[in-house]
Amino acid sequence: MTEESESMFTGKRIGILASYNGSGFETIQKAINEKKLDAKIVVVISNNTNAGVLEKAESYNIPNFIINDKRYPGQNIDDKCAKLLKDFQCDYIFLSGFMKKIESSLLTTFPNKIINTHPALLPSIYGGKGMYGRFVHEAIINNGEKKSGVTIHYVNEVYDEGEIILTKELELVQNETADSLENRIKELEKVAIVEAFEKLLAKS
């Protein structure tokens, strides 16, 4: 996007926090490219020097930054992230596999603007500290659940307890494994993320 088109852009500005490959980032960017979302990803921040999302952001010419304790020893990482996201005038922050707890500075700077995706239905025992990725799917299989799904929710000070934006369900099939469930949830998550942003952008 040129400087002129940047100044004319009237859609919502999204910041991404990611620790690894940022599949949610790719989902949002694809929806933007396909004109499904009137939005723009304006900045990507990772706490992981080797995160694949940084290279992906670079390929789209999206400004990207590494902010962690090693790079900024003795500094408040949450404050630095909040300032950077504010400098980029972000309307929403999306957590795309961000493995660091969101602290007060970000929450107060962006109230009801930080969005997370969880690979299970909330509220449930499949949320909270330590419940992420494969751990969730294994627990669901081990407990003999009949269904699972995806929850898109706002982030607050407690893991996975923020206000729910939307959920999407799927039924577990016979002989479901953690691997097969994980793959199905990832596909459902792509749909849920786009629908959640469609909902948010229609309201704002």
Side-chain angles (χ1 to χ4, degrees):
M1 191 175 279
T2 65
E3 259 186 60
E4 184 179 356
S5 59
E6 164 73 18
S7 64
M8 294 171 63
F9 179 70
T10 57
K12 294 300 179 182
R13 301 167 67 86
I14 300 171
I16 303 287
L17 295 179
S19 293
Y20 298 107
N21 289 326
S23 59
F25 155 75
E26 289 186 287
T27 295
I28 295 169
Q29 186 61 51
K30 184 172 183 284
I32 290 169
N33 292 347
E34 293 173 352
K35 310 295 185 189
K36 292 179 182 175
L37 298 176
D38 183 19
K40 179 187 177 189
I41 296 175
V42 294
V43 63
V44 173
I45 300 173
S46 182
N47 61 331
N48 177 7
T49 308
N50 300 313
V53 71
L54 297 168
E55 190 175 326
K56 291 172 184 175
E58 200 69 41
S59 71
Y60 289 109
N61 295 314
I62 297 171
N64 54 93
F65 301 86
I66 301 163
I67 299 181
N68 56 30
D69 292 320
K70 188 174 181 181
R71 189 158 284 210
Y72 298 100
Q75 298 186 43
N76 187 308
I77 300 307
D78 196 61
D79 285 349
K80 289 193 76 67
C81 288
K83 183 182 184 309
L84 191 56
L85 292 163
K86 197 172 181 181
D87 287 346
F88 276 89
Q89 302 176 333
C90 295
D91 297 295
Y92 293 103
I93 315 302
F94 182 74
L95 308 186
S96 183
F98 191 58
M99 303 305 292
K100 183 179 179 298
K101 191 173 189 297
I102 300 300
E103 304 294 347
S104 59
S105 182
L106 271 167
L107 291 170
T108 53
T109 305
F110 296 97
N112 290 326
K113 297 295 182 183
I114 304 175
I115 296 151
N116 187 43
T117 174
H118 186 73
L121 299 173
L122 296 175
S124 73
I125 62 170
Y126 303 109
K129 189 173 182 180
M131 273 293 173
Y132 60 89
R134 189 175 179 84
F135 296 114
V136 176
H137 309 308
E138 287 176 345
I140 286 170
I141 295 293
N142 291 340
N143 288 343
E145 299 289 358
K146 301 298 183 189
K147 65 180 181 180
S148 186
V150 174
T151 304
I152 312 293
H153 65 96
Y154 292 114
V155 174
N156 64 13
E157 61 280 356
V158 183
Y159 280 116
D160 300 328
E161 290 192 12
E163 179 188 344
I164 291 171
I165 298 167
L166 65 77
T167 59
K168 295 194 81 68
E169 292 185 6
L170 58 73
E171 298 287 328
L172 271 67
V173 298
Q174 192 173 8
N175 300 320
E176 191 86 75
T177 64
D179 284 336
S180 65
L181 181 57
E182 182 175 37
N183 290 334
R184 294 175 66 212
I185 289 292
K186 282 181 177 176
E187 290 305 308
L188 185 62
E189 190 175 54
K190 293 176 185 176
V191 177
I193 290 169
V194 176
E195 284 190 13
F197 271 99
E198 286 175 335
K199 184 178 178 180
L200 291 170
L201 298 182
K203 286 197 312 181
S204 56

